[in-house]
Amino acid sequence: MTRLDSATPPTAVHARSPRDTPARARATLALTSAATAVALMTYTAPMVTLPDTASALHTPLSAQAWLLNGTPLGLAALLLVAGSLADDYGRRRVFLAGTLALGLTTALGAFTTSTWQFTLARIAQGAACAALLASALGLIVHAFPSPRGRLHATGVWGAFVSGGIAVGPLLAGALPNWRIGYGVLGAAALVVAALGTRALTESRAPRGGRPDVLGALTFGLALVALVAALTLGRDGWLRAPVGLLLGAAVALVAVFVAVEHRTGTPMIDLGLLRRPRFLASSAGGLFTGLAVIGMFSFLPALLQQALRLSPLATAWLFLLWSGLSFAVALQVKHLAGRVAPRTQLALGFALHAVATVTMLGAIGSGTWTRLLPGLIIGGLGSGLLNGALPLLAVESVPPERAAMGSGAQQTFRYIGSCAGVALTIALATSAGDMARGANIALLVSAGLAAAGAVAVLAPRDRA
């Protein structure tokens, strides 16, 4: 059972305190959305600077997946932990700590001089983003307790996920080099953290007991082993290190499940796996990472190599996809009551599948105009995904566990992202011919999106 904070009346978990005025609720939404946008800008910035970054750090092609996978690894490993800590010990506290850490680690990333230093900085950025993103939805749910207010707020927040994805590559491509971009993003995160110290109200739903340290450790190590295996696998799946890492990941997941069954305050309540909405939310996050993020994380670098586009030109081209995603995510709230979130997710996956199929042959065509229909259709699909996922995440768990629900869904999202990036790079670079490899990667992405559409609709609500 969830134990309420001693300072909060049992009947008023989500009632407004005198400080929770509409103006303060709007300030909460503005700050959490701004921080989320900065986090996603940090996440996506390397998409258009990957060739320059790899050249500066002397990163071989076989190791370039680490330059992209550092941040999603940190995110996936710590999102569940951050969500549980935010609910138990204070969402404002965890949010501000994450935003401050994001500013510092992003600025430090600008001074790295080797692949391993950059990767460690990116993992640290991912860990900071985990604290920020998991607690942001918890703060929003507390500030907007009514269903209508929550629908509006989660729609805005989801749109800023798309907005950050849109602006990150554009900012990185417009600046003289990738190091300056990291300095600018670090400074932006520090500004948001400073503003949040005065504008945000603390909220929590403590359960009592000790933090689930063993669960956090086993889960984090399992993800590190999995991502390492996926990244090393592109050089040969039958090699001993790959097999050992995959075996270690499976064993650690089994230990994690056993720990969660025994502890009084688990990172994730495994009973949620019996909830169809929670299963759909998790599947939606996983296949968004596998199909959408995995493909669009590496496609900009592929275009620069194949079509000789500059980083800025690539960023402007991808703004068509990400900008449409932002606009659609803002409008998703108008579908409430007419189209269920799970149906929106299925439609989003279907549109992504159509988009990737229309882009077949574009890499070998020699012109970027062949990409335009796919980028437009993909942007519409991505907007539906980013608009529906946060709402489904908070609806799939009890209201007082909103941060944990957000953390769980985003954990699956970034596990999928790690696997999707490694898979896309492996497919695109292993066929001998770049155009042929890109077509294989696009077809696999379409197949994964189709599987995602089925997965979010399959769990049936009990009568």
Side-chain angles (χ1 to χ4, degrees):
M1 295 294 291
T2 299
R3 181 176 61 82
L4 303 179
D5 184 17
S6 58
T8 306
T11 58
V13 180
H14 297 288
R16 293 192 186 278
S17 70
R19 296 184 66 193
D20 288 331
T21 62
R24 186 169 291 275
R26 288 194 295 270
T28 297
L29 179 58
L31 282 170
T32 53
S33 297
T36 297
V38 173
L40 269 296
M41 289 165 68
T42 303
Y43 181 95
T44 57
M47 289 182 182
V48 297
T49 60
L50 180 62
D52 290 342
T53 305
S55 176
L57 301 177
H58 307 290
T59 307
L61 181 61
S62 61
Q64 287 185 17
W66 284 111
L67 301 183
L68 293 173
N69 266 349
T71 296
L73 174 57
L75 274 160
L78 290 179
L79 271 163
L80 271 176
V81 183
S84 293
L85 289 176
D87 284 334
D88 286 340
Y89 298 102
R91 295 151 186 154
R92 175 183 180 273
R93 180 181 300 171
V94 172
F95 176 85
L96 292 177
T99 309
L100 176 62
L102 177 62
L104 296 176
T105 55
T106 303
L108 287 174
F111 297 99
T112 57
T113 57
S114 67
T115 300
W116 71 268
Q117 289 177 356
F118 184 82
T119 300
L120 288 177
R122 292 284 289 171
I123 292 172
Q125 290 163 26
C129 287
L132 184 163
L133 293 174
S135 53
L137 274 178
L139 287 167
I140 288 172
V141 169
H142 178 79
F144 294 87
S146 70
R148 183 176 180 181
R150 187 177 303 162
L151 173 66
H152 166 75
T154 55
V156 170
W157 186 84
F160 272 83
V161 171
S162 297
I165 293 172
V167 177
L170 196 61
L171 175 67
L175 293 171
N177 63 66
W178 62 272
R179 297 184 187 276
I180 294 176
Y182 272 74
V184 170
L185 290 171
L190 292 175
V191 169
V192 175
L195 294 173
T197 57
R198 294 181 60 86
L200 296 176
T201 302
E202 187 60 281
S203 66
R204 59 173 64 86
R207 298 170 292 173
R210 298 178 180 178
D212 184 14
V213 176
L214 184 57
L217 183 63
T218 53
F219 188 75
L221 290 175
L223 288 180
V224 170
L226 175 62
V227 174
L230 292 171
T231 304
L232 295 175
R234 69 174 307 276
D235 292 325
W237 292 102
L238 299 179
R239 293 186 302 147
V242 177
L244 289 172
L245 286 167
L246 287 173
V250 172
L252 286 165
V253 168
V255 173
F256 170 73
V257 171
V259 169
E260 298 306 280
H261 274 301
R262 292 176 178 271
T263 185
T265 53
M267 280 202 312
I268 181 170
D269 179 3
L270 297 179
L272 291 172
L273 295 175
R274 294 190 292 269
R275 291 191 174 204
R277 286 188 179 186
F278 185 82
L279 289 174
S281 172
S282 301
L286 178 65
F287 282 97
T288 295
L290 279 170
V292 182
I293 302 177
M295 171 52 65
F296 281 98
S297 290
F298 188 64
L299 192 56
L302 199 59
L303 292 180
Q304 289 180 56
Q305 296 172 35
L307 302 182
R308 304 300 178 190
L309 297 178
S310 68
L312 184 57
T314 306
W316 277 113
L317 181 60
F318 268 71
L319 185 62
L320 180 61
W321 168 71
S322 53
L324 274 172
S325 177
F326 173 76
V328 171
L330 272 180
Q331 301 305 314
V332 161
K333 60 181 180 289
H334 298 304
L335 296 176
R338 289 177 288 179
V339 182
R342 287 163 62 178
T343 304
Q344 293 174 37
L345 291 179
L347 180 57
F349 283 126
L351 287 172
H352 176 79
V354 172
T356 52
V357 170
T358 63
M359 287 192 283
L360 290 172
I363 299 299
S365 69
T367 175
W368 56 267
T369 56
R370 273 280 283 106
L371 291 163
L372 295 181
L375 292 174
I376 292 172
I377 298 170
L380 297 175
S382 179
L384 287 173
L385 294 172
N386 287 334
L389 277 171
L391 179 60
L392 187 59
V394 298
E395 285 186 344
S396 66
V397 296
E400 66 272 13
R401 309 311 300 167
M404 187 275 292
S406 170
Q409 181 253 105
Q410 292 183 82
T411 295
F412 283 101
R413 180 184 182 119
Y414 293 109
I415 290 173
S417 171
C418 289
V421 167
L423 178 63
T424 300
I425 293 178
L427 293 172
T429 59
S430 62
D433 177 71
M434 190 177 295
R436 182 169 176 268
N439 286 340
I440 294 172
L442 287 165
L443 283 173
V444 170
S445 180
L448 289 169
V454 173
V456 296
L457 293 176
R460 295 294 181 185
D461 290 311
R462 296 179 178 87

